[in-house]
């Protein structure tokens, strides 16, 4: 497995692959890899000649009070997992922004609801780094997880609006054995907090099961149920057809999740 840290070297290598007619798939991540990330690799492995996984904790998508500096960075473990999963090249730049970086990509509609008000500037940072990664890695295909449903929406819209020649694949959300959506941030949870966090997927699952009620009522019931939980702070429960999306805080940890409602 190739490991590239220099952005210019990454771009040179990608142009070389393209010149040889290779199909490049990109799996963008912030590292601290788990089974959810590995499922993205599986999703594109068979159809691509070169699978590139980027590992970069992107500073522009974190707010000033968020967890950028304490975000887990288990680099050696990540490289081993990527190698075992069949990644051909890890692109792990130390830095992607110059000190006087002043150009950003902003999606102005789909980034507004859900996480938008709670994470000002987040989707601007995401869209900007994803476009930079597309320009450096030159993929024909890039895969993103449904875990971050709003992120998928924003990136699909950016690609459409700016005529970016990359096919976006949306991979299913993976959960742990107790139903919690896999996330690098789950590592922050104490055993007690983990038990509280399980209330989020449980409430969403009940909403899925209430098939006879309207999405509006199911959303309200999920909101009510989560509000009643001690040690859990609800940020939002929003129906974005066909998905019921939610974010909560458990202690200092922010968790997001979503389910597809039946109608
Ligand atoms: P992150 O490293 O958290 O930025 O995530 C990198 C990619 O993995 C994003 O496209 C995420 O949506 C995806 N991802 C993270 N967690 C999961 C999960 N539980 N299931 C599926 N995809 C995931």
């Amino acid at each position: 497995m190739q490991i590239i840290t220099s952005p210019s070297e990454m771009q040179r290598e990608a142009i070389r692959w393209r010149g040889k007619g290779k199909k490049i798939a990109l799996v963008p991540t912030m590292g601290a890899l788990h089974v959810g990330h590995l499922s993205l690799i599986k999703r594109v492995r068979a159809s691509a000649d070169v699978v590139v996984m980027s590992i970069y904790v992107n500073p522009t998508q974190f707010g000033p009070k968020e967890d950028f500096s304490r975000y887990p960075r288990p680099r050696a473990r990540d490289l081993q997992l990527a190698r075992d999963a069949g990644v051909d090249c890890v692109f792990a730049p130390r830095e992607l922004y110059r000190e006087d970086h002043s150009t950003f990509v902003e999606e102005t509609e789909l980034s507004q609801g859900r996480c938008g008000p709670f994470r000002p500037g987040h989707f601007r940072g995401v869209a900007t780094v994803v476009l930079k990664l597309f320009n450096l890695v030159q993929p024909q295909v890039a895969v993103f997880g449904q875990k971050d449903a709003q992120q998928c929406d924003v990136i699909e819209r950016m690609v459409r609006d700016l005529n970016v020649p990359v096919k976006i694949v949306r991979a299913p959300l993976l959960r742990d054995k107790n139903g919690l959506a896999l996330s690098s941030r789950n590592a922050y949870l104490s055993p007690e907090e983990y038990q509280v966090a399980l209330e989020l997927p449980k409430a969403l699952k009940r909403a899925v099961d209430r098939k006879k009620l309207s999405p509006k009522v199911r959303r309200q019931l999920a909101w009510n149920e989560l509000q009643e939980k001690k040690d859990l702070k609800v940020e939002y429960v929003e129906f974005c057809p066909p998905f019921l999306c939610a974010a909560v805080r458990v202690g200092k940890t922010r968790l997001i999740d979503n389910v597809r409602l039946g109608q």
Side-chain angles (χ1 to χ4, degrees):
M1 185 179 75
Q2 218 171 331
I3 300 168
I4 298 179
T5 57
S6 151
S8 53
E9 191 189 330
M10 180 70 251
Q11 198 174 47
R12 271 198 306 277
E13 191 67 354
I15 290 167
R16 219 169 51 79
W17 291 329
R18 282 290 202 126
K20 289 186 185 163
K22 302 232 184 261
K23 181 165 175 194
I24 305 171
L26 172 64
V27 184
T29 80
M30 298 204 298
L33 300 181
H34 52 66
V35 173
H37 295 115
L38 304 182
S39 73
L40 305 185
I41 301 167
K42 285 202 194 112
R43 187 73 179 67
V44 290
R45 180 59 281 185
S47 63
D49 299 309
V50 184
V51 174
V52 178
M53 171 175 266
S54 60
I55 299 181
Y56 180 63
V57 185
N58 172 38
T60 63
Q61 71 188 70
F62 287 79
K65 291 191 185 139
E66 293 185 356
D67 55 344
F68 174 70
S69 52
R70 72 176 184 127
Y71 198 85
R73 291 165 170 87
R75 202 41 57 87
R77 180 176 179 275
D78 283 350
L79 293 178
Q80 192 56 51
L81 285 170
R83 196 175 282 121
D84 294 347
V87 167
D88 298 298
C89 174
V90 165
F91 174 46
R94 269 179 292 276
E95 194 44 88
L96 277 185
Y97 301 91
R98 299 194 185 231
E99 235 161 64
D100 57 352
H101 180 102
S102 57
T103 309
F104 294 89
V105 180
E106 198 160 357
E107 193 288 325
T108 58
E109 188 183 314
L110 303 171
S111 57
Q112 295 305 301
R114 292 179 276 176
C115 293
F118 298 93
R119 303 193 74 186
H122 170 69
F123 290 110
R124 183 175 97 139
V126 168
T128 302
V129 81
V130 167
L131 191 60
K132 280 168 76 68
L133 289 168
F134 286 177
N135 287 330
L136 291 169
V137 178
Q138 313 244 325
Q140 287 94 334
V141 180
V143 59
F144 295 85
Q146 170 64 22
K147 154 88 189 327
D148 299 274
Q150 191 175 10
Q151 173 170 283
C152 289
D153 294 344
V154 168
I155 289 166
E156 283 169 0
R157 178 61 65 88
M158 172 188 81
V159 161
R160 188 199 75 177
D161 287 353
L162 300 183
N163 311 95
V164 181
V166 178
K167 179 178 173 226
I168 305 300
V169 173
R170 218 186 251 240
L173 188 162
L174 258 70
R175 301 178 179 281
D176 73 9
K177 62 180 192 304
N178 298 311
L180 187 65
L182 289 170
S183 163
S184 306
R185 291 191 167 95
N186 294 353
Y188 298 149
L189 298 167
S190 69
E192 297 74 33
E193 287 175 334
Y194 177 84
Q195 292 305 319
V196 177
L198 292 179
E199 297 298 340
L200 174 58
K202 282 186 197 162
L204 295 179
K205 169 80 169 51
R206 283 191 290 271
V208 172
D209 293 341
R210 291 178 166 128
K211 295 193 191 308
K212 294 209 172 113
L213 301 176
S214 70
K216 199 172 157 220
V217 172
R218 291 147 99 183
R219 185 211 75 84
Q220 188 64 53
L221 291 172
W223 167 272
N224 295 350
E225 287 170 7
L226 287 168
Q227 282 285 31
E228 284 166 12
K229 301 293 173 201
K230 207 170 133 279
D231 303 326
L232 181 152
K233 195 170 175 309
V234 194
E235 285 192 349
Y236 66 82
V237 181
E238 233 179 90
F239 181 55
C240 282
F243 302 108
L244 186 63
C245 304
V248 302
R249 280 182 185 280
V250 178
K252 281 188 175 161
T253 307
R254 185 172 188 276
L255 302 165
I256 59 171
D257 199 346
N258 68 86
V259 289
R260 179 187 277 270
L261 291 191
Q263 49 158 7

